[in-house]
Amino acid sequence: MGSEWLEKTIGDVCYVTDGAHSKVSRVEEGVMYLTSKNIGNGKLKLDKFDYISEESHSKLFTDTKKSQRRLRTGDVLMGIIGTFGNCYVYKEEDWFGISSSVAILRPIRELVLPEYLYYVISSEKFKATVNKFKGGSVQGYTNIATLKALPILIPAIEVQRNIVNTLMPNEKYI
């Protein structure tokens, strides 16, 4: 069993949602509010962003059974509108809210490591698959239902750990 690679879907191995759908009032300072333009390939692009109030953040980014939009360490964020396909792994020291142009892929840790998921969905092969399903010619986009249905190959956790340690030997994975 340890060497089996199972074909699953993103929805099989992750809770998938997106950021705030409500109109959010911007303020001069507060909690960073990011869009897909701020999600780079593994990094945040913070040259231009907005702020929202702590109150708005608490109201919009809840963590209940019904709505799990409050970001957690290890969530993989993916641009799904505009800057399409760029990914970032949310870190313990991060604190921000996101617009609905960013998907949240929350790995089921018994099935997939966040860093492994990040590497797979950042790969050219996965991006080519996503491009077959995206809409829009000028501004690419996809929706949560399509994202959940996308295929992903999942090896055993120990194999994922070895892959992650090989790809990022000087980093400790989450």
Side-chain angles (χ1 to χ4, degrees), residues 22-82:
S22 302
K23 182 155 176 63
V24 183
S25 296
R26 306 312 199 266
V27 295
E28 289 296 315
E29 57 183 50
V31 179
M32 286 192 303
Y33 184 70
L34 307 182
T35 70
S36 63
K37 293 175 186 168
N38 300 111
I39 306 296
N41 287 315
K43 297 183 177 10
L44 295 176
K45 296 191 268 183
L46 300 177
D47 52 325
K48 184 179 179 202
F49 61 88
D50 292 320
Y51 289 104
I52 60 173
S53 69
E54 288 277 350
E55 180 182 354
S56 289
H57 184 269
S58 294
K59 180 177 149 194
L60 294 170
F61 298 98
T62 58
D63 195 4
T64 64
K65 279 188 175 186
K66 187 176 179 183
S67 174
Q68 296 183 27
R69 287 193 165 95
R70 174 139 324 168
L71 298 172
R72 298 180 190 169
T73 301
D75 285 350
V76 180
L77 308 180
M78 179 180 178
I80 57 172
I81 299 173

Side-chain angles (χ1 to χ4, degrees), residues 120-135:
V120 170
I121 66 175
S122 295
S123 73
E124 292 306 315
K125 183 177 178 180
F126 188 83
K127 286 181 180 181
T129 300
V130 170
N131 277 328
K132 293 176 188 174
F133 294 96
K134 79 176 186 179

Side-chain angles (χ1 to χ4, degrees), residues 91 115 119 164-165 167-174:
K91 296 169 182 49
E115 297 78 8
Y119 280 113
V164 168
N165 287 336
L167 293 172
M168 46 190 294
N170 298 323
E171 305 280 331
K172 86 171 175 63
Y173 74 90
I174 299 168

